Amino acid sequence: MAKLKLGVLGSGKGSNFRAIADAITAGSLEAEIGIVLSDVETSGILALARERKLRAEFVAPGKFKTKLEPEAEERTVALLREAGVELVVLAGWMRMIKAPLLAAFPRRIINIHPSLLPAFPGLEAWKQALAAGARETGCTVHYVDEGMDGGEIIAQSRVPVLPGDTPEKLHARIQLAEHALYPEVIRRLNAPPARAHA
Ligand code: GAR
């Protein structure tokens, strides 16, 4: 099977990136990371990518808090294209994606979110789940569209909320589920379509 070329975008510590990179190294995911991009110059994800000798670039986001400035998004598209990226993987990316990037990779941008969408979109979804008294939460991998955490759902994994949970404990449990689910979904997206029985 041809190796799928990934471009990973993240703003944070990069544990989902690490899970994907580890799955590739372990041979359980036939893919290659072409480039890692971050809107946060000091992010863990850039440091982890550089440790692994992957191409890792900071993209200055511009003046907005919730999206990239159009020039920054154009630069992101150019970098992803130049790296030959086929699938854009958002891994802790905390900005909305807009038209130029969506148009450049139609149905080829996926995101992981720490809740069972459509429940608890937005920031710190694990805290929202605790505050709502949910007994179960989880994580969702979905296609990205113009909305916030609203695109078509590809796969979900359930995680119990346990008595005595703190936000940190619950998020850590959700992250374990994320680290298993994300590489598995990428693997499935790259699998040839199941052959019909003759
Ligand atoms: C993950 O829990 C991911 O689901 C969440 O940020 C964390 C990033 O962790 N993403 C969102 O909330 C996006 N709406 P990581 O940097 O360790 O992968």
Side-chain angles (χ1 to χ4, degrees):
M1 207 189 305
K3 279 192 182 170
L4 181 69
K5 186 76 80 83
L6 309 177
V8 184
L9 269 62
S11 312
K13 65 182 191 293
S15 70
N16 278 289
F17 156 74
R18 191 176 48 218
I20 293 163
D22 283 352
I24 292 172
T25 307
S28 59
L29 175 60
E30 280 288 312
E32 193 182 335
I33 297 174
I35 193 163
V36 176
L37 300 175
S38 183
D39 56 336
V40 179
E41 205 165 8
T42 55
S43 59
I45 191 172
L46 285 183
L48 283 176
R50 289 183 182 130
E51 269 172 31
R52 287 167 193 255
K53 312 278 181 249
L54 294 170
R55 183 160 179 211
E57 301 259 355
F58 165 61
V59 177
K63 61 176 180 282
F64 302 116
K65 275 216 161 77
T66 58
K67 61 178 182 180
L68 292 175
E69 231 170 69
E71 298 71 29
E73 193 158 300
E74 295 290 1
R75 177 165 151 69
T76 302
V77 170
L79 286 167
L80 291 168
R81 284 214 170 113
E82 195 185 299
V85 166
E86 298 163 289
L87 181 69
V88 179
V89 177
L90 306 187
W93 177 256
M94 301 313 280
R95 292 171 191 267
M96 312 267 277
I97 301 292
K98 294 294 164 195
L101 187 46
L102 287 170
F105 294 91
R107 231 177 136 75
R108 300 301 283 168
I109 308 178
I110 59 174
N111 180 44
I112 191 154
H113 181 78
S115 75
L116 295 174
L117 290 171
F120 314 127
L123 292 178
E124 300 186 318
W126 58 94
K127 285 190 184 166
Q128 298 183 47
L130 273 184
R135 297 177 60 176
E136 188 180 59
T137 181
C139 54
T140 302
V141 179
H142 63 94
Y143 288 109
V144 172
D145 64 14
E146 285 257 6
M148 191 179 56
D149 304 322
E152 184 191 329
I153 290 172
I154 303 169
Q156 296 186 308
S157 186
R158 296 177 177 279
V159 172
V161 180
L162 299 179
D165 259 350
T166 59
E168 294 70 30
K169 281 188 190 167
L170 180 56
H171 189 211
R173 194 175 311 118
I174 294 170
Q175 287 229 279
L176 288 179
E178 291 184 335
H179 300 160
L181 184 66
Y182 220 0
E184 176 55 34
V185 168
I186 297 168
R187 190 178 304 122
R188 264 197 268 151
L189 288 178
N190 196 34
R195 231 185 269 161
H197 290 289

